[in-house]
Amino acid sequence: MEKAATAPREIKRKRSCLPGNKMTPLMAIIIVLLFIYFLLVAYPLFWMLCNSLKSYKEIYKNIWAMPKNPLWNNYALAWQRGISKYFLNSVLVTGSTIVGAILVSALASYSLARFRFKGNQLIFILCMGGMMLSPQVTLIPLYKIIQALHIHNTYLALIIPYTAYRIPLIVMLIRSHFLSIPKEIEEFIYTHPAVKDVQVIGVPDKKYGEEAMACIILKEPGSVTQDEMLDYIKASLARHKVPKYIRFVDAFPMNAAGKILKYKMREDATR
């Protein structure tokens, strides 16, 4: 059974930050420019869709006209003539690249963010240096490496380079996320003898936008009150590091892989 939480509710955002929500000349210009940009992006897609529903005769007769009798079986015909293989190849290569890049990057990011060892920053800088390399510059050495590994004309010849080229950016993003997690607060609350597990999350706050909340699983439910836990934390941590809210829970929401769903904890706390 959860104890009552004192978290604030989500703050409703205003539709506009402009005084009185009035349209200004600058805002009108921005909207017009964005609409023009939308047309430039959307029209080629619309044109491609229209022509995909035409016969060869219609395309050669007037490539810009709308299809008179849309031929939806064009898609089935294209699928039978080889598009299916190209599509499945793309799914396999893209899926493998995403899984491999995220898995490797997450492990590397956690190590670079959480562990302090000699060469930590150097490794991170070298990793970020990979973002400066253009794939075109490495085509010849990459081809020689693929030949040496005897993986040319295979899926691995695509998956491995794609994964390697995307790791630097993903490491930078995930590492930044790990650095934002208040590790020091969690580790200190762990030192309380009654605490079994703890997660610190951010919840909406009307004055500051967001405040910290410590969600705690106790070894023995009811053995510590919220005030006692706050006093324990205030006695050793700086004032700006003390969570504003304490919440006792029985368990943390997790996905099938065992990852704690902090966004779900935030939603539950703001109800």
Side-chain angles (χ1 to χ4, degrees), residues 179-195:
L179 290 174
S180 68
I181 298 175
K183 180 185 176 185
E184 181 182 358
I185 302 174
E186 293 179 356
E187 288 185 342
F188 175 75
I189 297 176
Y190 267 123
T191 62
H192 194 288
V195 173

Side-chain angles (χ1 to χ4, degrees), residues 79-91:
W79 184 267
Q80 295 170 0
R81 291 187 177 181
I83 292 295
S84 59
K85 184 177 181 181
Y86 306 149
F87 176 77
L88 294 176
N89 285 345
S90 297
V91 170

Side-chain angles (χ1 to χ4, degrees), residues 218-236:
L218 297 175
K219 295 177 181 177
E220 295 292 336
S223 59
V224 181
T225 65
Q226 293 180 356
D227 292 336
E228 290 174 345
M229 184 59 67
L230 275 174
D231 291 339
Y232 178 79
I233 298 171
K234 289 178 180 178
S236 301

Side-chain angles (χ1 to χ4, degrees), residues 243-261:
K244 186 174 181 180
Y245 307 104
I246 300 293
R247 188 186 193 202
F248 297 125
V249 298
D250 293 330
F252 299 135
M254 298 183 181
N255 60 15
K259 176 180 173 58
I260 295 176
L261 304 176

